[in-house]
């Protein structure tokens, strides 16, 4: 069973450890793994009110951060991390479905950034995100509920 739990300030250390574990291989592959920087980047977007622990059968297996960007034009998925042993089980898809439901309800696009050469890129493309900008180490993505709500064959 999958559920969400709220995030509290005191959860930061455990979440930083999970982020480092989830990103280690991809960052190491790029020669960019720095455990201090991994923690700093989480701290920069650590907003407990906008975060959810992903819980599977009573155990925290990941988390996400979804923040409304000003001026209310889009939602930013800052984090969606799962422990490596929990990937490939449909948990990420379940969490992303929740993100998309929030976007549809608010009529906002969702944006995110993923490391180049990360397996996460295939995941996001498979779930309807499209690359909108290429950066030296990252790819920027966007998903729009308007692009998915039209009838097949109709021009959106």
């Amino acid at each position: 069973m999958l559920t969400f739990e709220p995030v509290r300030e005191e959860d930061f250390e455990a979440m930083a450890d999970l982020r480092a574990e989830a990103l280690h291989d991809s960052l190491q592959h790029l020669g960019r793994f720095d455990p201090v920087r991994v923690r700093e980047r989480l701290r920069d977007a650590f907003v407990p009110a906008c975060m959810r622990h992903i819980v599977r059968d009573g155990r925290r297996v990941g988390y996400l951060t979804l923040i409304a960007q000003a001026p209310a034009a889009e939602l930013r998925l800052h984090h969606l991390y799962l422990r490596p042993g929990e990937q490939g089980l449909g948990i990420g898809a379940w969490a992303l479905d929740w993100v998309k439901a929030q976007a549809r309800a608010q009529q906002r696009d969702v944006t995110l950034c993923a490391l180049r050469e990360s397996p996460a890129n295939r995941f996001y493309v498979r779930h309807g995100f499209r690359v909108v900008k290429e950066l030296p180490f990252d790819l920027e993505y966007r998903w729009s509920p308007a692009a998915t709500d039209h009838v097949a064959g109709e021009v959106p």
Side-chain angles (χ1 to χ4, degrees):
M1 177 176 174
L2 294 170
T3 59
F4 287 119
E5 286 181 359
V7 171
R8 295 184 304 262
E9 184 66 36
E10 57 266 24
D11 295 330
F12 177 81
E13 291 301 323
M15 294 171 76
D17 291 343
L18 189 154
R19 183 174 191 268
E21 182 183 0
L23 285 174
H24 183 270
D25 290 349
S26 292
L27 288 170
Q28 192 74 14
H29 177 74
L30 294 172
R32 299 191 69 221
F33 183 75
D34 176 350
V36 173
R37 184 70 183 129
V38 166
R39 293 179 112 62
E40 287 173 352
R41 292 206 55 195
L42 176 58
R43 179 52 76 190
D44 291 345
F46 193 75
V47 184
C50 299
M51 303 176 90
R52 305 284 183 276
H53 290 289
I54 301 168
V55 180
R56 179 178 178 228
D57 298 327
R59 200 170 49 85
R60 290 178 179 170
V61 298
Y63 66 89
L64 63 79
T65 304
L66 186 65
I67 298 178
Q69 299 292 108
E74 62 193 29
L75 297 172
R76 180 73 172 179
L77 183 60
H78 276 284
H79 308 113
L80 174 52
Y81 297 114
L82 297 172
R83 293 188 188 287
E86 304 292 336
Q87 296 170 2
L89 303 174
I91 299 168
W94 175 85
L96 202 53
D97 284 346
W98 178 83
V99 168
K100 289 177 175 181
Q102 303 306 303
R104 282 187 190 98
Q106 298 175 39
Q107 285 300 297
R108 297 182 190 203
D109 289 1
V110 178
T111 62
L112 63 88
C113 183
L115 282 169
R116 285 182 175 270
E117 300 181 38
S118 167
N121 291 293
R122 288 187 306 278
F123 170 77
Y124 290 121
V125 169
R126 191 169 60 247
H127 288 276
F129 284 79
R130 61 183 172 77
V131 174
V132 294
K133 186 174 184 182
E134 295 189 24
L135 303 167
F137 295 102
D138 302 312
L139 297 173
E140 279 286 328
Y141 287 92
R142 177 175 295 274
W143 178 86
S144 175
T148 60
D149 288 343
H150 69 280
V151 176
E154 269 185 30
V155 176

